[in-house]
Amino acid sequence: QVQLVESGGGLVQPGGSLRLSCAASGSIFSINAMGWYRQAPGKERELVATITSGENTNYADSVKGRFTISRDNAKNTESLQMNSLKPEDTAVYYCVLVYTDYDGYEYHYWGQGTQVTVSS
């Protein structure tokens, strides 16, 4: 069993900041990558940012320079610092975990999602 606990969503004015966090626990031998996706109403889920075990990062063009992803390997957590937020950033944000279990199998696991609303 694996659990992902997301936190940090909410309502913020345009230009404001929010920090999302995601904590992983359970039968995890190693974490290969973590990341964030988002889904706005009527749109497909899209990549926001990812970070590998070697801390290589990847960002959607729409968030480059505004969002920063980081992780704490010792605590199995990741965070997404979101600055200069825009109304178009409004979406449900999902934490994703890519991990290997103790049997050597790799899995993708999704969090339940946290709402981010950017509005005045």
Side-chain angles (χ1 to χ4, degrees):
Q1 291 286 347
V2 171
Q3 297 81 40
L4 286 179
V5 178
E6 299 160 332
S7 60
L11 173 65
V12 64
Q13 292 186 344
S17 298
L18 279 176
R19 186 177 182 87
L20 304 182
S21 295
C22 180
S25 62
S27 301
I28 299 169
F29 175 72
S30 66
I31 293 179
N32 306 325
M34 298 184 79
W36 293 92
Y37 281 67
R38 67 186 181 187
Q39 187 166 19
K43 294 188 177 181
E44 294 185 354
R45 190 173 297 189
E46 64 175 3
L47 169 74
V48 176
T50 59
I51 185 166
T52 68
S53 57
E55 302 201 9
N56 293 313
T57 59
N58 181 46
Y59 295 92
D61 288 343
S62 60
V63 307
K64 282 181 181 176
R66 300 189 297 123
F67 291 10
T68 303
I69 190 170
S70 60
R71 60 184 288 180
D72 184 331
N73 291 327
K75 296 182 179 179
N76 286 349
T77 60
E78 65 163 348
S79 295
L80 183 70
Q81 179 66 41
M82 304 185 294
N83 298 329
S84 302
L85 282 161
K86 304 175 181 180
E88 51 263 43
D89 294 318
T90 295
V92 178
Y93 284 70
Y94 296 91
C95 173
V96 62
L97 169 70
V98 182
Y99 73 97
T100 300
D101 70 5
Y102 289 94
D103 293 323
Y105 294 101
E106 185 176 272
Y107 295 92
H108 291 68
Y109 194 83
W110 293 85
Q112 78 283 1
T114 185
Q115 178 70 46
V116 171
T117 302
V118 185
S119 175
S120 55

